[in-house]
Amino acid sequence: MGEDRLGELLRGLPAERAPADFTGRVLARLDARPGAGSTRLRRRLALGLLAAGVLAAALLLWTGREAARRSELRAELDSLRRETQALERALARPRERLVYLGEDERADYVMDLGQVEAAGGVLPVPLTAGSQGGVL
């Protein structure tokens, strides 16, 4: 239903007028309520609600950060588990002795699995102009 049609229907309703003493009766009922005009009570209630809101917001923020941190740690643990499994598989295959670990500006790093038990060594291999990454 369009706004024009709704406005037309509302204008077609009979006009209602409040009784002459309406405002006075409403104000009298407000004054008759227990605690009417007690601004101190209203202030305390407002401050209490505000404090509860701040506490709830802080708690939500803290639990959100903790959940994000736990998620990051789980992802890191999963990554470490995958790397460990890859190394275990590589150790189980003796013909693949050199495992590429990475590089920096000075060297490619490989692990000679045949020497892992004996020396536990990671040996840097100097970069050459035509070096490619991967298992050697």
Side-chain angles (χ1 to χ4, degrees), residues 18-41:
D21 63 340
F22 177 77
T23 303
R25 285 188 304 156
V26 169
L27 293 174
R29 284 179 61 192
L30 284 174
D31 289 339
R33 279 188 11 213
S38 174
T39 58
R40 179 177 287 163
L41 177 63

Side-chain angles (χ1 to χ4, degrees), residues 117-136:
E117 288 184 28
V122 175
L123 308 171
V125 176
L127 285 177
T128 61
S131 71
Q132 302 287 328
V135 175
L136 299 176

